[in-house]
Structures are given as C-alpha cells and as structure tokens.
PDB file of all heavy atoms in Angstrom:
ATOM      1  N   ASN A   1     181.733  74.782  34.980  1.00  0.00           N
ATOM      2  CA  ASN A   1     180.690  74.377  34.040  1.00  0.00           C
ATOM      3  C   ASN A   1     180.351  72.904  34.232  1.00  0.00           C
ATOM      4  O   ASN A   1     179.422  72.567  34.938  1.00  0.00           O
ATOM      5  CB  ASN A   1     181.137  74.671  32.602  1.00  0.00           C
ATOM      6  CG  ASN A   1     181.351  76.146  32.352  1.00  0.00           C
ATOM      7  OD1 ASN A   1     180.473  76.951  32.655  1.00  0.00           O
ATOM      8  ND2 ASN A   1     182.484  76.521  31.806  1.00  0.00           N
ATOM      9  N   SER A   2     181.138  72.034  33.626  1.00  0.00           N
ATOM     10  CA  SER A   2     180.878  70.598  33.776  1.00  0.00           C
ATOM     11  C   SER A   2     181.697  69.969  34.892  1.00  0.00           C
ATOM     12  O   SER A   2     181.383  68.865  35.348  1.00  0.00           O
ATOM     13  CB  SER A   2     181.175  69.863  32.462  1.00  0.00           C
ATOM     14  OG  SER A   2     182.516  70.080  32.046  1.00  0.00           O
ATOM     15  N   LEU A   3     182.746  70.666  35.334  1.00  0.00           N
ATOM     16  CA  LEU A   3     183.589  70.153  36.413  1.00  0.00           C
ATOM     17  C   LEU A   3     183.762  71.204  37.495  1.00  0.00           C
ATOM     18  O   LEU A   3     183.739  72.417  37.215  1.00  0.00           O
ATOM     19  CB  LEU A   3     184.972  69.759  35.879  1.00  0.00           C
ATOM     20  CG  LEU A   3     185.044  68.584  34.893  1.00  0.00           C
ATOM     21  CD1 LEU A   3     186.472  68.392  34.414  1.00  0.00           C
ATOM     22  CD2 LEU A   3     184.510  67.311  35.514  1.00  0.00           C
ATOM     23  N   PHE A   4     183.970  70.721  38.726  1.00  0.00           N
ATOM     24  CA  PHE A   4     184.110  71.618  39.877  1.00  0.00           C
ATOM     25  C   PHE A   4     185.292  71.162  40.724  1.00  0.00           C
ATOM     26  O   PHE A   4     185.466  69.966  40.964  1.00  0.00           O
ATOM     27  CB  PHE A   4     182.831  71.628  40.717  1.00  0.00           C
ATOM     28  CG  PHE A   4     181.616  71.988  39.912  1.00  0.00           C
ATOM     29  CD1 PHE A   4     180.842  70.997  39.318  1.00  0.00           C
ATOM     30  CD2 PHE A   4     181.260  73.313  39.739  1.00  0.00           C
ATOM     31  CE1 PHE A   4     179.729  71.317  38.567  1.00  0.00           C
ATOM     32  CE2 PHE A   4     180.145  73.652  38.985  1.00  0.00           C
ATOM     33  CZ  PHE A   4     179.376  72.657  38.388  1.00  0.00           C
ATOM     34  N   LYS A   5     186.087  72.130  41.149  1.00  0.00           N
ATOM     35  CA  LYS A   5     187.230  71.808  41.996  1.00  0.00           C
ATOM     36  C   LYS A   5     186.747  71.377  43.374  1.00  0.00           C
ATOM     37  O   LYS A   5     185.846  71.996  43.951  1.00  0.00           O
ATOM     38  CB  LYS A   5     188.152  73.022  42.121  1.00  0.00           C
ATOM     39  CG  LYS A   5     189.429  72.730  42.901  1.00  0.00           C
ATOM     40  CD  LYS A   5     190.348  73.939  42.923  1.00  0.00           C
ATOM     41  CE  LYS A   5     191.606  73.642  43.724  1.00  0.00           C
ATOM     42  NZ  LYS A   5     192.515  74.810  43.773  1.00  0.00           N
ATOM     43  N   VAL A   6     187.340  70.305  43.891  1.00  0.00           N
ATOM     44  CA  VAL A   6     187.039  69.837  45.248  1.00  0.00           C
ATOM     45  C   VAL A   6     187.930  70.649  46.176  1.00  0.00           C
ATOM     46  O   VAL A   6     189.137  70.411  46.290  1.00  0.00           O
ATOM     47  CB  VAL A   6     187.298  68.332  45.382  1.00  0.00           C
ATOM     48  CG1 VAL A   6     186.986  67.868  46.804  1.00  0.00           C
ATOM     49  CG2 VAL A   6     186.465  67.545  44.364  1.00  0.00           C
ATOM     50  N   ASP A   7     187.329  71.615  46.859  1.00  0.00           N
ATOM     51  CA  ASP A   7     188.117  72.637  47.551  1.00  0.00           C
ATOM     52  C   ASP A   7     188.962  72.106  48.699  1.00  0.00           C
ATOM     53  O   ASP A   7     190.038  72.644  48.970  1.00  0.00           O
ATOM     54  CB  ASP A   7     187.187  73.745  48.067  1.00  0.00           C
ATOM     55  CG  ASP A   7     186.606  74.567  46.932  1.00  0.00           C
ATOM     56  OD1 ASP A   7     187.302  74.727  45.903  1.00  0.00           O
ATOM     57  OD2 ASP A   7     185.461  75.030  47.059  1.00  0.00           O
ATOM     58  N   ASP A   8     188.491  71.071  49.398  1.00  0.00           N
ATOM     59  CA  ASP A   8     189.273  70.618  50.549  1.00  0.00           C
ATOM     60  C   ASP A   8     190.264  69.511  50.186  1.00  0.00           C
ATOM     61  O   ASP A   8     190.903  68.934  51.068  1.00  0.00           O
ATOM     62  CB  ASP A   8     188.357  70.150  51.682  1.00  0.00           C
ATOM     63  CG  ASP A   8     187.566  68.893  51.334  1.00  0.00           C
ATOM     64  OD1 ASP A   8     187.394  68.622  50.130  1.00  0.00           O
ATOM     65  OD2 ASP A   8     187.128  68.190  52.267  1.00  0.00           O
ATOM     66  N   ALA A   9     190.412  69.218  48.907  1.00  0.00           N
ATOM     67  CA  ALA A   9     191.412  68.243  48.460  1.00  0.00           C
ATOM     68  C   ALA A   9     192.722  68.974  48.163  1.00  0.00           C
ATOM     69  O   ALA A   9     192.744  69.966  47.433  1.00  0.00           O
ATOM     70  CB  ALA A   9     190.935  67.506  47.219  1.00  0.00           C
ATOM     71  N   ALA A  10     193.813  68.491  48.725  1.00  0.00           N
ATOM     72  CA  ALA A  10     195.110  69.139  48.535  1.00  0.00           C
ATOM     73  C   ALA A  10     195.548  69.056  47.077  1.00  0.00           C
ATOM     74  O   ALA A  10     195.269  68.076  46.378  1.00  0.00           O
ATOM     75  CB  ALA A  10     196.159  68.474  49.426  1.00  0.00           C
ATOM     76  N   VAL A  11     196.201  70.109  46.629  1.00  0.00           N
ATOM     77  CA  VAL A  11     196.829  70.076  45.308  1.00  0.00           C
ATOM     78  C   VAL A  11     198.063  69.194  45.395  1.00  0.00           C
ATOM     79  O   VAL A  11     198.873  69.310  46.317  1.00  0.00           O
ATOM     80  CB  VAL A  11     197.219  71.494  44.854  1.00  0.00           C
ATOM     81  CG1 VAL A  11     197.944  71.447  43.502  1.00  0.00           C
ATOM     82  CG2 VAL A  11     195.987  72.384  44.772  1.00  0.00           C
ATOM     83  N   ILE A  12     198.214  68.281  44.461  1.00  0.00           N
ATOM     84  CA  ILE A  12     199.402  67.426  44.410  1.00  0.00           C
ATOM     85  C   ILE A  12     200.300  67.969  43.303  1.00  0.00           C
ATOM     86  O   ILE A  12     199.907  68.021  42.141  1.00  0.00           O
ATOM     87  CB  ILE A  12     199.036  65.955  44.138  1.00  0.00           C
ATOM     88  CG1 ILE A  12     198.152  65.420  45.281  1.00  0.00           C
ATOM     89  CG2 ILE A  12     200.300  65.102  43.993  1.00  0.00           C
ATOM     90  CD1 ILE A  12     197.742  63.967  45.119  1.00  0.00           C
ATOM     91  N   HIS A  13     201.496  68.369  43.698  1.00  0.00           N
ATOM     92  CA  HIS A  13     202.400  69.017  42.755  1.00  0.00           C
ATOM     93  C   HIS A  13     203.317  67.988  42.109  1.00  0.00           C
ATOM     94  O   HIS A  13     204.029  67.252  42.778  1.00  0.00           O
ATOM     95  CB  HIS A  13     203.224  70.093  43.464  1.00  0.00           C
ATOM     96  CG  HIS A  13     202.389  71.235  43.969  1.00  0.00           C
ATOM     97  ND1 HIS A  13     202.006  72.280  43.164  1.00  0.00           N
ATOM     98  CD2 HIS A  13     201.842  71.466  45.196  1.00  0.00           C
ATOM     99  CE1 HIS A  13     201.273  73.132  43.872  1.00  0.00           C
ATOM    100  NE2 HIS A  13     201.155  72.659  45.107  1.00  0.00           N
ATOM    101  N   LYS A  14     203.269  67.944  40.790  1.00  0.00           N
ATOM    102  CA  LYS A  14     204.159  67.095  40.004  1.00  0.00           C
ATOM    103  C   LYS A  14     205.029  67.983  39.118  1.00  0.00           C
ATOM    104  O   LYS A  14     204.717  69.151  38.886  1.00  0.00           O
ATOM    105  CB  LYS A  14     203.350  66.147  39.107  1.00  0.00           C
ATOM    106  CG  LYS A  14     202.651  65.031  39.845  1.00  0.00           C
ATOM    107  CD  LYS A  14     203.623  63.951  40.312  1.00  0.00           C
ATOM    108  CE  LYS A  14     204.254  63.232  39.129  1.00  0.00           C
ATOM    109  NZ  LYS A  14     205.235  62.209  39.566  1.00  0.00           N
ATOM    110  N   GLU A  15     206.107  67.413  38.645  1.00  0.00           N
ATOM    111  CA  GLU A  15     206.958  68.101  37.683  1.00  0.00           C
ATOM    112  C   GLU A  15     207.159  67.194  36.480  1.00  0.00           C
ATOM    113  O   GLU A  15     207.242  65.977  36.618  1.00  0.00           O
ATOM    114  CB  GLU A  15     208.336  68.444  38.288  1.00  0.00           C
ATOM    115  CG  GLU A  15     208.293  69.459  39.414  1.00  0.00           C
ATOM    116  CD  GLU A  15     207.840  68.853  40.738  1.00  0.00           C
ATOM    117  OE1 GLU A  15     208.114  67.653  40.954  1.00  0.00           O
ATOM    118  OE2 GLU A  15     207.205  69.562  41.520  1.00  0.00           O
ATOM    119  N   ALA A  16     207.227  67.794  35.319  1.00  0.00           N
ATOM    120  CA  ALA A  16     207.545  67.048  34.100  1.00  0.00           C
ATOM    121  C   ALA A  16     209.010  67.295  33.761  1.00  0.00           C
ATOM    122  O   ALA A  16     209.522  68.413  33.926  1.00  0.00           O
ATOM    123  CB  ALA A  16     206.647  67.479  32.956  1.00  0.00           C
ATOM    124  N   TYR A  17     209.676  66.245  33.299  1.00  0.00           N
ATOM    125  CA  TYR A  17     211.107  66.312  33.015  1.00  0.00           C
ATOM    126  C   TYR A  17     211.394  65.950  31.564  1.00  0.00           C
ATOM    127  O   TYR A  17     210.766  65.042  31.000  1.00  0.00           O
ATOM    128  CB  TYR A  17     211.884  65.346  33.912  1.00  0.00           C
ATOM    129  CG  TYR A  17     211.827  65.686  35.381  1.00  0.00           C
ATOM    130  CD1 TYR A  17     210.756  65.269  36.173  1.00  0.00           C
ATOM    131  CD2 TYR A  17     212.841  66.427  35.978  1.00  0.00           C
ATOM    132  CE1 TYR A  17     210.700  65.577  37.516  1.00  0.00           C
ATOM    133  CE2 TYR A  17     212.788  66.736  37.340  1.00  0.00           C
ATOM    134  CZ  TYR A  17     211.720  66.317  38.097  1.00  0.00           C
ATOM    135  OH  TYR A  17     211.655  66.625  39.432  1.00  0.00           O
ATOM    136  N   ALA A  18     212.349  66.664  30.985  1.00  0.00           N
ATOM    137  CA  ALA A  18     212.923  66.259  29.708  1.00  0.00           C
ATOM    138  C   ALA A  18     214.131  65.387  30.010  1.00  0.00           C
ATOM    139  O   ALA A  18     214.929  65.698  30.904  1.00  0.00           O
ATOM    140  CB  ALA A  18     213.345  67.479  28.900  1.00  0.00           C
ATOM    141  N   VAL A  19     214.257  64.290  29.276  1.00  0.00           N
ATOM    142  CA  VAL A  19     215.349  63.344  29.507  1.00  0.00           C
ATOM    143  C   VAL A  19     216.075  63.104  28.191  1.00  0.00           C
ATOM    144  O   VAL A  19     215.439  62.900  27.147  1.00  0.00           O
ATOM    145  CB  VAL A  19     214.813  62.004  30.055  1.00  0.00           C
ATOM    146  CG1 VAL A  19     215.968  61.086  30.442  1.00  0.00           C
ATOM    147  CG2 VAL A  19     213.889  62.231  31.254  1.00  0.00           C
ATOM    148  N   TYR A  20     217.400  63.114  28.250  1.00  0.00           N
ATOM    149  CA  TYR A  20     218.194  62.871  27.046  1.00  0.00           C
ATOM    150  C   TYR A  20     219.579  62.384  27.452  1.00  0.00           C
ATOM    151  O   TYR A  20     219.984  62.471  28.627  1.00  0.00           O
ATOM    152  CB  TYR A  20     218.298  64.144  26.197  1.00  0.00           C
ATOM    153  CG  TYR A  20     218.853  65.348  26.919  1.00  0.00           C
ATOM    154  CD1 TYR A  20     220.216  65.616  26.935  1.00  0.00           C
ATOM    155  CD2 TYR A  20     218.006  66.229  27.598  1.00  0.00           C
ATOM    156  CE1 TYR A  20     220.733  66.716  27.607  1.00  0.00           C
ATOM    157  CE2 TYR A  20     218.501  67.328  28.270  1.00  0.00           C
ATOM    158  CZ  TYR A  20     219.863  67.577  28.269  1.00  0.00           C
ATOM    159  OH  TYR A  20     220.374  68.654  28.938  1.00  0.00           O
ATOM    160  N   SER A  21     220.307  61.891  26.470  1.00  0.00           N
ATOM    161  CA  SER A  21     221.674  61.435  26.715  1.00  0.00           C
ATOM    162  C   SER A  21     222.648  62.561  26.416  1.00  0.00           C
ATOM    163  O   SER A  21     222.596  63.156  25.331  1.00  0.00           O
ATOM    164  CB  SER A  21     221.998  60.227  25.833  1.00  0.00           C
ATOM    165  OG  SER A  21     223.392  59.948  25.868  1.00  0.00           O
ATOM    166  N   PRO A  22     223.561  62.875  27.338  1.00  0.00           N
ATOM    167  CA  PRO A  22     224.550  63.926  27.058  1.00  0.00           C
ATOM    168  C   PRO A  22     225.542  63.521  25.971  1.00  0.00           C
ATOM    169  O   PRO A  22     226.266  64.365  25.448  1.00  0.00           O
ATOM    170  CB  PRO A  22     225.252  64.115  28.412  1.00  0.00           C
ATOM    171  CG  PRO A  22     225.051  62.819  29.130  1.00  0.00           C
ATOM    172  CD  PRO A  22     223.716  62.303  28.687  1.00  0.00           C
ATOM    173  N   ALA A  23     225.554  62.213  25.625  1.00  0.00           N
ATOM    174  CA  ALA A  23     226.452  61.735  24.572  1.00  0.00           C
ATOM    175  C   ALA A  23     225.814  61.831  23.191  1.00  0.00           C
ATOM    176  O   ALA A  23     226.455  61.505  22.188  1.00  0.00           O
ATOM    177  CB  ALA A  23     226.858  60.285  24.854  1.00  0.00           C
ATOM    178  N   ASN A  24     224.566  62.280  23.117  1.00  0.00           N
ATOM    179  CA  ASN A  24     223.877  62.373  21.836  1.00  0.00           C
ATOM    180  C   ASN A  24     224.576  63.388  20.930  1.00  0.00           C
ATOM    181  O   ASN A  24     224.899  64.495  21.366  1.00  0.00           O
ATOM    182  CB  ASN A  24     222.415  62.785  22.070  1.00  0.00           C
ATOM    183  CG  ASN A  24     221.545  62.605  20.848  1.00  0.00           C
ATOM    184  OD1 ASN A  24     221.848  63.087  19.770  1.00  0.00           O
ATOM    185  ND2 ASN A  24     220.436  61.896  21.015  1.00  0.00           N
ATOM    186  N   SER A  25     224.781  63.002  19.675  1.00  0.00           N
ATOM    187  CA  SER A  25     225.469  63.885  18.736  1.00  0.00           C
ATOM    188  C   SER A  25     224.652  65.139  18.409  1.00  0.00           C
ATOM    189  O   SER A  25     225.183  66.105  17.857  1.00  0.00           O
ATOM    190  CB  SER A  25     225.795  63.134  17.439  1.00  0.00           C
ATOM    191  OG  SER A  25     224.608  62.686  16.810  1.00  0.00           O
ATOM    192  N   LYS A  26     223.359  65.129  18.738  1.00  0.00           N
ATOM    193  CA  LYS A  26     222.483  66.269  18.456  1.00  0.00           C
ATOM    194  C   LYS A  26     222.211  67.092  19.721  1.00  0.00           C
ATOM    195  O   LYS A  26     221.175  67.727  19.848  1.00  0.00           O
ATOM    196  CB  LYS A  26     221.159  65.785  17.863  1.00  0.00           C
ATOM    197  CG  LYS A  26     221.325  64.896  16.644  1.00  0.00           C
ATOM    198  CD  LYS A  26     220.026  64.195  16.319  1.00  0.00           C
ATOM    199  CE  LYS A  26     220.259  63.101  15.304  1.00  0.00           C
ATOM    200  NZ  LYS A  26     219.056  62.293  15.082  1.00  0.00           N
ATOM    201  N   LEU A  27     223.151  67.071  20.636  1.00  0.00           N
ATOM    202  CA  LEU A  27     222.936  67.696  21.942  1.00  0.00           C
ATOM    203  C   LEU A  27     222.562  69.168  21.823  1.00  0.00           C
ATOM    204  O   LEU A  27     221.662  69.644  22.526  1.00  0.00           O
ATOM    205  CB  LEU A  27     224.189  67.538  22.798  1.00  0.00           C
ATOM    206  CG  LEU A  27     224.076  67.962  24.263  1.00  0.00           C
ATOM    207  CD1 LEU A  27     222.976  67.179  24.966  1.00  0.00           C
ATOM    208  CD2 LEU A  27     225.412  67.767  24.976  1.00  0.00           C
ATOM    209  N   GLU A  28     223.211  69.901  20.933  1.00  0.00           N
ATOM    210  CA  GLU A  28     222.898  71.331  20.774  1.00  0.00           C
ATOM    211  C   GLU A  28     221.472  71.523  20.258  1.00  0.00           C
ATOM    212  O   GLU A  28     220.772  72.447  20.676  1.00  0.00           O
ATOM    213  CB  GLU A  28     223.909  71.994  19.852  1.00  0.00           C
ATOM    214  CG  GLU A  28     225.302  72.113  20.455  1.00  0.00           C
ATOM    215  CD  GLU A  28     225.287  72.804  21.814  1.00  0.00           C
ATOM    216  OE1 GLU A  28     224.635  73.873  21.918  1.00  0.00           O
ATOM    217  OE2 GLU A  28     225.903  72.288  22.756  1.00  0.00           O
ATOM    218  N   ASN A  29     221.031  70.666  19.347  1.00  0.00           N
ATOM    219  CA  ASN A  29     219.652  70.748  18.853  1.00  0.00           C
ATOM    220  C   ASN A  29     218.661  70.456  19.966  1.00  0.00           C
ATOM    221  O   ASN A  29     217.598  71.095  20.066  1.00  0.00           O
ATOM    222  CB  ASN A  29     219.442  69.752  17.715  1.00  0.00           C
ATOM    223  CG  ASN A  29     220.322  70.033  16.514  1.00  0.00           C
ATOM    224  OD1 ASN A  29     221.308  69.343  16.300  1.00  0.00           O
ATOM    225  ND2 ASN A  29     219.983  71.050  15.744  1.00  0.00           N
TER     226      ASN A  29
END
C-alpha cells in the first residue's frame, strides 16, 4: 500500500534478547 519491499535487498536477521540477573530474588517470576 504505502510501502514496498525492496526485493534485491538482503534480509538482515536480528535477535531480541531478554536480560536479567540470575541472583535476582524474583528469578522464578
């Protein structure tokens, strides 16, 4: 509609991470 994929541009794969301290008292939560 308003945007179009640029077909010859490579997809760049990223990952999102959750980060926490294993010493946190709320680890189970």
Side-chain angles (χ1 to χ4, degrees):
N1 297 309
S2 57
L3 294 177
F4 304 92
K5 185 176 179 181
V6 180
D7 290 328
D8 67 338
V11 177
I12 298 181
H13 295 277
K14 288 286 294 178
E15 294 78 31
Y17 295 84
V19 187
Y20 56 90
S21 168
N24 193 307
S25 61
K26 306 166 192 173
L27 188 58
E28 291 306 312
N29 298 104

